[in-house]
Amino acid sequence: MKKWIPATMATVLMASMLAACSTKPAEQPSASSTASAKPAEKTKFSISLRTLAFGHVEKSPNINEDKWVKKLEELTNSDMDIVLVPHKEYEQKMIQMFATNDIPNVVQGSGGVNGKEMAGSVKAGVFMPLDDLLKQYGPNLLKKVPKEAWDNVSYQGKIFAIPEYLSNPSRRAIFIRKDLLDKTGLGVPKTVDEYMAVLRKFKEMGVENPYMGRENFKYSDSFFGAYDVFPYLSMFEKQGDQILPKFFDTENMTKALQTYKTMFDEGLINKEFATINATVFKNTILAGKAGMWSMNANELLQWETQLKANVPAGDIEIIGSPTGPDGKGGHYLYGPAPRAYFISKSVKNAAQIIQFFDWMMSDEAEKFFTFGIEGDTYKTVDGKIDYKSPTDATAVDEERYRQSFLWLVQDTTYNKGTLSFTDEGKKLMNVYDTTLKNEGRDGISFEPRLEALMKNPDISPLSDQAPPVILQHMVKMVYGKESISDWPKVLEEWKSKGGNDVIKEATEKFNNKDSGTTVSMPRK
């Protein structure tokens, strides 16, 4: 990605450039004696990776010279050229990448084959099908990655990517400063009203951000979950004889928006929450200036360690999400493949690249990513690993980077190897198996993605964000610039900009089981 062009030009050029991509089958080397054996010659390839707001990545002067990258290359006999895609500009940069045809050998996508950021590249023939290569060179991948994840990265019956996967789709959770909750004298909140009571008490106690929100309502969707009205286009439901996005439930959507507006009016959420980026979000929490927030549960122990560096008495716990009128709640359930890796059709060493990813499923890989380098981050005593999780903030960032960012293919629910070493870790695993297992919201979904969603960017965001035309009104309503009672007008605007076509297509494909589209019903 040496050259970037303006997004508007990228959109115009995208279709023609994709069509021009080579469709000549790549030449593959012969199979090695063992499918997952390391190749004799170094496997050289370029790979695009989203920075994902990882501090260690964003602070690195040259990620390709990072010691963990070098060690990974040594262990796999590979030579990677990592091209970082900025987290904040991910979608735009990906579209530009395809438009300029400056495509790395391996491209990291955010999930399925039809994600908006993939710009129709799979359908255009940019990437190669991997079925035969996986059978010969990816035995560990085929054995360990679940069918649901493979289905998510398949197109017209063929596998086009290697997926990271989730065994537990309930990944996001409510975090609370338990030390502050104890000072309120209140119990653990359950309903929306009880949550509001705790937030008001936090404000009385002087907590700067009783609830820590984040831009675009990302990681601040807890109360939408209570009312089962996530503003995302990955979640549909049947209303009458139509299949509609969940935000068409006007009664509950207005209740959710009113909850956030009350929080805004009473100072229970930062007045600038609509523009708070990932870095400010994290730094504010780690500085001890937040009482409650939402994020991925597997971050708990590392964030608590970093918090204690600034607030020694700080204690973070995960609690059940707020429940709504139906007695249920929870965050949206993730798809089975949060990230996936596509191999360009033009590469000559795809077999070795498959072996590189297959190694990630090995015991050697698990030891490396979990514990690091023997003699540096851990030692072996009487045949057992002696590993102590870091407490220094920088070292915690580095551990998180190694275990999450660099371990490209794994079950990202949580790292069992690390958690099983401590009582705190075992407690977190129990949270997954109890609290999170029993909550979460889902909806009807379609794979491949609805074609109508790919035609108009204003009504079609990434899966876990509200469409721009919807989001702008949500923010204005919470800020008091528009009346929440005007929500039906917002729906009409969305429909007029292409939403009617989305509803029509979703309804037709739901009713026509032989449409070639996989229609998934709610898991909860």
Side-chain angles (χ1 to χ4, degrees):
M1 293 184 283
K2 304 178 184 69
K3 302 175 183 177
W4 296 113
I5 61 175
T8 51
M9 291 178 63
T11 304
V12 174
L13 292 174
M14 179 172 56
S16 60
M17 294 305 295
L18 285 174
C21 291
S22 171
T23 58
K24 180 181 178 181
E27 298 175 10
Q28 300 304 335
S30 59
S32 59
S33 57
T34 304
S36 58
K38 299 182 184 68
E41 296 183 2
K42 282 192 175 182
T43 302
K44 294 185 178 182
F45 64 97
S46 55
I47 179 170
S48 65
L49 297 176
R50 187 178 183 179
T51 59
L52 292 168
F54 277 80
H56 183 83
V57 178
E58 295 181 335
K59 294 173 185 175
S60 174
N62 183 354
I63 197 65
N64 285 297
E65 296 300 318
D66 177 80
K67 82 170 188 178
W68 297 108
V69 171
K70 291 296 185 183
K71 186 63 178 178
L72 174 58
E73 291 177 329
E74 176 190 327
L75 291 169
T76 56
N77 197 26
S78 62
D79 181 5
M80 294 187 292
D81 177 15
I82 299 175
V83 182
L84 294 176
V85 183
H87 186 61
K88 295 179 184 178
E89 307 166 89
Y90 173 62
E91 187 177 306
Q92 177 189 9
K93 294 298 187 185
M94 289 286 283
I95 291 173
Q96 290 174 344
M97 177 183 74
F98 289 118
T100 58
N101 200 24
D102 193 9
I103 303 170
N105 301 138
V106 180
V107 173
Q108 181 192 70
S110 64
V113 296
N114 294 293
K116 186 179 179 183
E117 81 288 349
M118 296 304 293
S121 54
V122 175
K123 186 176 181 180
V126 176
F127 302 106
M128 65 173 65
L130 304 177
D131 302 74
D132 292 340
L133 287 167
L134 285 165
K135 289 175 185 176
Q136 195 164 8
Y137 299 99
N140 293 315
L141 290 165
L142 291 176
K143 179 180 179 181
K144 295 185 178 181
V145 176
K147 180 181 182 299
E148 294 78 11
W150 291 119
D151 290 344
N152 196 243
V153 294
S154 294
Y155 176 69
Q156 294 185 339
K158 294 185 180 295
I159 295 171
F160 276 87
I162 300 167
E164 169 189 277
Y165 61 99
L166 277 173
S167 59
N168 183 348
S170 185
R171 181 182 187 183
R172 201 171 284 182
I174 291 287
F175 286 55
I176 194 167
R177 281 281 302 279
K178 185 61 165 53
D179 55 309
L180 297 179
L181 177 63
D182 290 343
K183 291 179 181 178
T184 67
L186 302 173
V188 175
K190 294 182 180 179
T191 66
V192 171
D193 288 342
E194 290 172 355
Y195 262 79
M196 296 294 282
V198 169
L199 294 177
R200 290 183 177 111
K201 196 66 176 179
F202 280 169
K203 181 174 175 59
E204 289 178 19
M205 292 163 50
V207 178
E208 191 172 325
N209 299 277
Y211 185 93
M212 189 64 198
R214 183 171 154 186
E215 61 185 345
N216 299 333
F217 284 96
K218 188 174 178 67
Y219 290 104
S220 57
D221 55 11
S222 319
F223 296 99
F224 290 116
Y227 292 100
D228 197 15
V229 285
F230 290 106
Y232 311 138
L233 283 167
S234 57
M235 302 177 73
F236 289 76
E237 65 183 3
K238 196 172 191 298
Q239 294 183 25
D241 59 357
Q242 289 184 309
I243 304 301
L244 301 171
K246 284 199 169 186
F247 54 75
F248 267 73
D249 181 349
T250 297
E251 178 183 357
N252 283 306
M253 190 66 184
T254 53
K255 288 179 180 178
L257 287 170
Q258 184 58 57
T259 300
Y260 284 104
K261 186 176 188 307
T262 299
M263 292 164 65
F264 180 84
D265 291 343
E266 296 185 17
L268 306 180
I269 191 170
N270 193 296
K271 296 293 184 183
E272 306 299 325
F273 83 91
T275 57
I276 291 175
N277 62 33
T279 302
V280 174
F281 175 79
K282 180 176 182 178
N283 290 343
T284 302
I285 291 170
L286 297 185
K289 298 179 180 180
M292 186 188 300
W293 61 93
S294 167
M295 59 183 282
N296 287 340
N298 60 355
E299 306 275 21
L300 172 64
L301 301 183
Q302 290 162 327
W303 280 47
E304 183 174 58
T305 298
Q306 291 175 304
L307 170 69
K308 286 183 179 295
N310 300 309
V311 185
D315 179 21
I316 304 174
E317 284 195 6
I318 290 174
I319 60 175
S321 299
T323 57
D326 63 356
K328 300 178 182 179
H331 299 73
Y332 84 99
L333 299 181
Y334 277 69
R339 295 182 290 181
Y341 302 88
F342 299 80
I343 301 177
S344 170
K345 202 163 189 175
S346 64
V347 306
K348 306 299 183 183
N349 61 343
Q352 282 85 358
I353 293 174
I354 294 289
Q355 288 177 311
F356 169 84
F357 284 106
D358 192 68
W359 175 85
M360 300 234 166
M361 298 281 96
S362 68
D363 292 341
E364 182 183 29
E366 183 175 0
K367 180 187 287 188
F368 166 66
F369 291 117
T370 301
F371 306 116
I373 300 171
E374 187 168 8
D376 179 4
T377 52
Y378 78 91
K379 57 185 177 180
T380 303
V381 179
D382 297 329
K384 296 182 179 180
I385 291 176
D386 181 12
Y387 177 78
K388 304 242 180 343
S389 293
T391 56
D392 170 81
T394 301
V396 170
D397 259 348
E398 190 173 350
E399 178 194 56
R400 177 173 174 259
Y401 151 77
R402 186 184 72 243
Q403 294 179 352
S404 300
F405 179 89
L406 205 56
W407 196 352
L408 304 178
V409 180
Q410 60 168 313
D411 180 356
T412 52
T413 303
Y414 54 74
N415 189 308
K416 296 179 181 178
T418 301
L419 297 184
S420 61
F421 266 69
T422 65
D423 291 338
E424 292 82 3
K426 293 175 183 176
K427 182 178 179 181
L428 177 56
M429 287 193 289
N430 185 62
V431 167
Y432 270 99
D433 295 338
T434 54
T435 302
L436 297 185
K437 183 180 180 180
N438 295 321
E439 67 178 37
R441 298 286 198 178
D442 204 12
I444 298 169
S445 62
F446 300 88
E447 186 61 39
R449 201 165 188 236
L450 298 175
E451 292 182 10
L453 285 176
M454 296 185 269
K455 294 178 180 179
N456 187 340
D458 199 31
I459 67 165
S460 175
L462 293 173
S463 61
D464 62 344
Q465 292 182 19
V469 68
I470 295 290
L471 179 63
Q472 64 179 343
H473 290 293
M474 288 168 56
V475 173
K476 288 178 180 179
M477 288 175 176
V478 171
Y479 276 63
K481 304 297 183 182
E482 293 180 0
S483 173
I484 294 176
S485 63
D486 285 339
W487 187 251
K489 296 179 182 178
V490 177
L491 299 180
E492 290 303 314
E493 181 180 353
W494 181 80
K495 289 195 293 185
S496 70
K497 292 187 174 182
N500 277 322
D501 292 335
V502 174
I503 294 170
K504 180 181 178 182
E505 183 183 356
T507 302
E508 289 177 350
K509 289 189 172 179
F510 180 85
N511 292 329
N512 181 9
K513 305 304 181 185
D514 299 320
S515 64
T517 297
T518 299
V519 180
S520 299
M521 299 303 290
R523 289 162 286 181
K524 290 187 181 181

